[in-house]
Amino acid sequence: MHRFDIKFRIIGIVPVVLILFFTFFQFLGCTPAEEKSVSSLSEEEFRNPSKDNRPLALWTWLNGYVDTTQMVFELEQMKDKGTRGALIWDLGALMDPEKLIPGGPAMLGDESLKYFSLALATGKRLDLDLGWVAASSWNAGGEWVEEEHASKELVNSSQFVEGPSQMKFPILEPTSIRKSASRNTLITTVAVPFSENNVIDFSKGEAIVLDEFSKDGKFFDWNVPPGKWEVLSFFISNTGQELVVPSPNSSGLIIDHLSKDATKNYFDSIFNRLASITSPDKQFKFFMHDSYEVWEANDWSPLFLEKFQEIYGYDSRPYLPLIQTHISSDDRLAKRFLHDYTKLISDMMIENHFAQSTEIAEKHGIEMIIEAGHGGNVRVEPLKALGNSHIPMGEFWNRQRHWVTKEASSAAHIYGKKIVASESLTGWNHWQHGPTDFKQLIDIAFCDGLNQIVFHTFSHNPKIAGKPGFVYHAGEHINVNATWWEMARPFMDYIARCSYMLRQGNFVADVLLYYGDEAPNLVPPRRLDPNYTPDMPGIFPTYFYDESKCPHCGRPKPINPGKLPGYQYDYINEDIITTTLGTENGNFVLPHGQSYKILVLPDREDISLEVLKRLERLIFDGAVVIGRKPERSTSLKGYPAVDAEISEIAEKIWGDCDGKKLLSNKYGKGAIYWGKTVQEVLDELAIPPDFEISGTDNHDLHIDFVHRVTDNEDIFFISNSSTKQEKITAVFRVDQDSKLEIWDAETGLIQRDVNYTKVKNGLQLELTMDPLASRFVIFRKYTTGKNDDGLYYDLQKGLQKKLQSKNIHQSIDLSSQWNISFDPDWGGPKSIKLDRLISWSDLEDEGANYYSGAADYTREFSIEEAALSQDVEAIVSFENVQEMAQVFVNGKDCGIVWLPPYSTRITPHLKVGKNMITVKVINTWNNRIVGDLRNPGKTHFTQTNAKSKFTKNSPLLQSGLMGKAEIKFITK
């Protein structure tokens, strides 16, 4: 004690305390200030997202026709409304019965390049990112593609000979179904015994290759064995296919996507043409390959035979009849060969086209966006194809079943790509919906892993187009001619904030689904547009409700893990399993930080030998796999010895596990399960849901989530895609010592004062979600506990809850006595007085019924001095707004209202006595177009090439303010 006292006297109490304090934190490796500041998230970037996080758009230059003045204006508007930029898409007007759209110059011709140059220069001035869909329409092709490098297929001729006899007979030319076919080149000839059912017994050597008996490539000199023989000569033939929907002066041949030379020559031509207008500081940020929609064909390429022999180690020529009309007496043998054939088509297309395109683009400082999934006539194994891009791209449609975003996100997650793009909001619902509807679908896609919106489409509209103007046949028209464009900024900011957050760290999922090594293959959508019903435009498929089939394309699901509420998953392919997938502490891990708890195999008897070998190592090292015991290989490579090798490895892994009596087997540090569902295995391994909710029936996943983890935070995005308010109890599987914050992407504001409790599996939060609302729930080590200034309601309880609370001092009913002023230039009445708020389509005035555009609602109201106390917030709310509204009080802007419960804070702008409220409301173009069609003898206000999508019987849509409106004064 005395020594201690002396020490304190000598060096002082305060310095000692500081020394001990800092020594303690040095031991921990950080100072208190560092501990508080450690964060992977930028609050400023969330509030004001930078350009890179903002939405892109497909900027259609229909028929290649460009108005340069309008082009510059459109780019300026993209910047003003908060987008990242656009991808120029030169294509033909697929829908233009009245021939309204002029033809522009040939793409990449001199005049076209001037347009590109102006767009790039303007984009540079505005700091926008510009890209180009690398063809006129799609896929890769153009007038510079020569026949040598054009798309090709396998065709054949057939003739019959009888033996025994020595015969000389000609090689017959094939008859192609393509009128444009050309350049037939003989590949090989195979003779097979005649069979009424076209059956070949390969075990008896019935397929005989006749190439050695060919003379000058014109006839055969062959000693025909006894019996009747069919002689099949196979040729490689140009399909003659040209671009799908090019602008009128930009047609040309589609390339051979299997050929390395074809892709290289294609891009060499492009860069040679672009060289005159681009420079390192003025060039495209992106190139894009749109969905693969080349004619269905038996694909072929000049080097196919040699490549096949190299990869699979056997001669493919005897089996070529199986590609056409013949079958094998051994069905499994046929499946194995066809597996090898289609897989090589996929590998050649990926290596020589998609991967090489990415490599070429990268050398020029350009990022390649590739939509290679099963949205078109896909030939590839999509995860590998998408993984060989800079930015994998999927698609999701409005009021349609075409959703393949999960495919792109799985590819990004397993290949270590940060950005997941999607062709967004494609559809045939022209001008019927706006940002409120779009947000619902975008949030669903966000929960599938999307983090880069690419609107389909932003149509370029020359002044001659009128309004709503020129549009492609499909897509939601998000451009300067949209009625609500002037109010688009909050919508764009919301998307950008979400995109920023959803790019942080790594995706969190517990389950990996191996979908086999077939090509083509597919990842079925996890969710679809909840509004899609049989009465939507297009064909409603009979298979839609069949759980065993992909609702997008109708093909069988390659793997079906069942419902896994509260868990996320990714699909994985042979490529990643055999090259980069590892195991650590019993988890599956990837080099870029992704990890998963279990891997599930498809329910089938065959498997890739390479995959099984790798799984054997991974399981032995501690991994957990679910799946049946395989019996044979998927390939004909190494057959029949390969099947014995498969059985030997499977016997080691599965042991006595038979999927009936014995449902699991320990192997090394890991385990295999067979006969238990994925959910049962998760339960047995004590892996609780990552996000578990109660308080509502969530079988349709309308309360959905996506979870990302950084070094310092767990980030959950929670979405309510229902049009009803939902009060839920949510349990998040996170560290119980975490601090919880709620970040609101709509406003950019953060709530740090949040009530939550510790529970068995993590932290529990009571959350009230307004209709179509979303929240980011953040778990971190430290929080100030202080809410952002300007946050006028509890994000945990929802705005609607606040509007319904018992803390309302008073309210002012605004449901009547409004004056509405319309724009007469668009057929509206100059003004109308309303006793109650009803849709414009229900008014007695025809001009209002058919009106599209903006209308101003105005009225006065009075406030007593007592209502304006410092502890009260004033909120104006509307029961229904169609589509968007901007509120002004006493001439001051109070914000844009576009989401339920359609409310905004007006407190700062109120005064004692009389006040004036003005609400500028904008609907969509639908009613004006329909009104024009119903009045053929009167002046038409609208002009568009898409009027054929409407009739005089098309319904009018609700518009304006409807129902109850009021101001509520609520305790802060």
Side-chain angles (χ1 to χ4, degrees), residues 699-718:
H699 73 278
D700 59 355
L701 299 182
H702 69 275
I703 302 295
D704 206 353
F705 82 105
V706 64
H707 178 191
R708 298 188 69 88
V709 62
T710 70
D711 290 339
N712 304 294
E713 295 97 1
D714 282 273
I715 302 167
F716 283 82
F717 175 75
I718 311 300

Side-chain angles (χ1 to χ4, degrees), residues 137-209:
S137 74
W138 70 98
N139 292 95
E143 51 85 15
W144 58 88
V145 177
E146 298 178 354
E147 280 195 336
E148 176 188 359
H149 295 126
S151 62
K152 297 172 176 64
E153 65 181 332
L154 184 70
V155 297
N156 72 280
S157 64
S158 173
Q159 59 184 308
F160 295 94
V161 295
E162 291 194 43
S165 64
Q166 185 73 32
M167 293 186 64
K168 287 186 177 181
F169 52 93
I171 299 173
L172 299 183
E173 285 288 310
T175 301
S176 176
I177 61 171
R178 320 285 187 195
K179 293 180 180 179
S180 52
S182 62
R183 297 173 65 97
N184 296 323
T185 303
L186 181 66
I187 298 170
T188 189
T189 298
V190 179
V192 298
F194 171 75
S195 166
E196 291 287 352
N197 298 319
N198 288 335
V199 176
I200 306 170
D201 188 341
F202 289 92
S203 66
K204 296 180 178 179
E206 287 187 348
I208 303 172
V209 177

Side-chain angles (χ1 to χ4, degrees), residues 566-579:
Y567 299 91
Q568 283 279 13
Y569 57 83
D570 271 330
Y571 279 71
I572 194 167
N573 59 1
E574 178 188 38
D575 182 36
I576 293 298
I577 289 176
T578 57
T579 59

Side-chain angles (χ1 to χ4, degrees), residues 492-628:
M492 303 301 177
D493 288 347
Y494 170 80
I495 291 170
R497 292 186 187 110
C498 291
S499 298
Y500 164 69
M501 298 292 280
L502 296 174
R503 296 179 186 183
Q504 305 309 305
N506 282 300
F507 174 65
V508 176
D510 293 301
V511 181
L512 268 177
L513 303 175
Y514 172 52
Y515 72 171
D517 67 330
E518 274 69 35
N521 211 329
L522 65 97
V523 171
R526 179 174 166 269
R527 289 183 65 197
L528 296 171
D529 182 341
N531 309 289
Y532 180 53
T533 58
D535 60 347
M536 294 295 168
I539 299 172
F540 192 89
T542 56
Y543 58 74
F544 185 75
Y545 297 111
D546 185 342
E547 288 291 328
S548 70
K549 294 182 178 178
C550 171
H552 164 63
C553 67
R555 288 156 52 198
K557 292 179 181 177
I559 181 170
N560 195 347
K563 302 290 185 182
L564 296 172
Y567 299 91
Q568 283 279 13
Y569 57 83
D570 271 330
Y571 279 71
I572 194 167
N573 59 1
E574 178 188 38
D575 182 36
I576 293 298
I577 289 176
T578 57
T579 59
T580 56
L581 187 65
T583 184
E584 186 176 299
N585 299 323
N587 294 329
F588 290 98
V589 294
L590 291 167
H592 50 279
Q594 281 293 132
S595 68
Y596 308 87
K597 303 291 186 185
I598 60 175
L599 184 145
V600 187
L601 302 177
D603 185 20
R604 48 189 296 171
E605 296 175 348
D606 55 355
I607 196 170
S608 156
L609 175 61
E610 289 73 19
V611 166
L612 186 61
K613 284 180 176 179
R614 183 60 183 158
L615 290 179
E616 189 268 336
R617 184 74 261 167
L618 292 170
I619 296 169
F620 189 83
D621 289 343
V624 175
V625 173
I626 304 172
R628 69 183 298 163

Side-chain angles (χ1 to χ4, degrees), residues 41-245:
L41 296 177
S42 164
E43 294 180 4
E44 176 56 30
E45 181 67 24
F46 178 69
R47 281 188 288 270
N48 300 295
S50 59
K51 174 190 66 177
D52 288 355
N53 297 296
R54 294 187 168 276
L56 289 163
L58 289 167
W59 190 18
T60 51
W61 292 4
L62 292 166
N63 281 357
Y65 184 81
V66 176
D67 176 332
T68 54
T69 301
Q70 185 70 2
M71 173 218 282
V72 172
F73 173 71
E74 289 173 354
L75 287 168
E76 290 171 343
Q77 283 296 297
M78 290 179 198
K79 182 67 176 181
D80 182 69
K81 298 304 182 290
T83 75
R84 182 178 185 178
L87 305 173
I88 297 169
W89 192 14
D90 176 289
L91 79 168
L94 192 60
M95 174 180 58
D96 188 15
E98 298 177 23
K99 304 300 180 186
L100 298 174
I101 308 175
M107 192 187 66
L108 295 189
D110 291 343
E111 189 176 353
S112 170
L113 289 172
K114 289 179 183 177
Y115 297 157
F116 277 28
S117 179
L118 177 60
L120 288 170
T122 307
K124 183 176 184 294
R125 171 173 65 85
L126 297 170
D127 190 27
L128 291 172
D129 288 337
L130 290 186
W132 171 55
V133 180
S136 182
S137 74
W138 70 98
N139 292 95
E143 51 85 15
W144 58 88
V145 177
E146 298 178 354
E147 280 195 336
E148 176 188 359
H149 295 126
S151 62
K152 297 172 176 64
E153 65 181 332
L154 184 70
V155 297
N156 72 280
S157 64
S158 173
Q159 59 184 308
F160 295 94
V161 295
E162 291 194 43
S165 64
Q166 185 73 32
M167 293 186 64
K168 287 186 177 181
F169 52 93
I171 299 173
L172 299 183
E173 285 288 310
T175 301
S176 176
I177 61 171
R178 320 285 187 195
K179 293 180 180 179
S180 52
S182 62
R183 297 173 65 97
N184 296 323
T185 303
L186 181 66
I187 298 170
T188 189
T189 298
V190 179
V192 298
F194 171 75
S195 166
E196 291 287 352
N197 298 319
N198 288 335
V199 176
I200 306 170
D201 188 341
F202 289 92
S203 66
K204 296 180 178 179
E206 287 187 348
I208 303 172
V209 177
L210 300 184
D211 294 357
E212 63 180 296
F213 306 109
S214 172
K215 304 298 181 182
D216 302 323
K218 295 181 179 179
F219 65 93
F220 290 104
D221 189 349
W222 181 41
N223 187 8
V224 182
K228 186 176 181 180
W229 294 79
E230 183 177 9
V231 178
L232 298 159
S233 294
F234 295 91
F235 299 79
I236 184 172
S237 174
N238 283 39
T239 67
Q241 183 180 1
E242 297 189 338
L243 290 166
V244 182
V245 193

Side-chain angles (χ1 to χ4, degrees), residues 350-472:
I350 292 169
E351 178 183 350
N352 296 330
H353 181 60
F354 292 125
Q356 190 185 191
S357 294
T358 301
E359 181 182 335
I360 292 170
E362 187 169 310
K363 287 179 180 177
H364 289 82
I366 295 171
E367 293 180 55
M368 200 77 213
I369 302 173
I370 291 180
E371 189 177 350
H374 81 290
N377 300 328
V378 65
R379 315 290 217 269
V380 294
E381 187 261 277
L383 292 177
K384 185 177 181 181
L386 290 162
N388 278 276
S389 66
H390 293 114
I391 301 177
M393 184 168 180
E395 60 182 300
F396 69 94
W397 287 49
N398 180 24
R399 271 66 177 177
Q400 290 295 320
R401 68 185 186 278
H402 311 306
W403 283 59
V404 288
T405 302
K406 185 60 183 174
E407 198 166 72
S409 68
S410 284
H413 299 155
I414 63 175
Y415 280 91
K417 313 292 181 181
K418 183 176 286 291
I419 309 301
V420 181
S422 189
E423 171 192 309
S424 304
L425 301 169
T426 317
W428 294 296
N429 300 275
H430 305 271
W431 301 294
Q432 294 184 44
H433 305 118
T436 312
D437 299 279
F438 299 157
K439 177 187 182 294
Q440 179 193 40
L441 306 188
I442 288 169
D443 284 354
I444 293 172
F446 280 154
C447 290
D448 270 355
L450 172 67
N451 57 28
Q452 176 64 71
I453 291 290
V454 183
F455 293 125
H456 184 293
T457 59
F458 187 118
S459 298
H460 169 60
N461 267 277
K463 286 295 184 183
I464 64 169
K467 290 185 178 181
F470 301 157
V471 297
Y472 187 47

Side-chain angles (χ1 to χ4, degrees), residues 780-794:
R780 56 203 320 186
K781 296 177 182 177
Y782 175 83
T783 181
T784 65
K786 182 180 178 181
N787 297 339
D788 277 358
D789 293 337
L791 188 65
Y792 64 93
Y793 70 96
D794 191 330

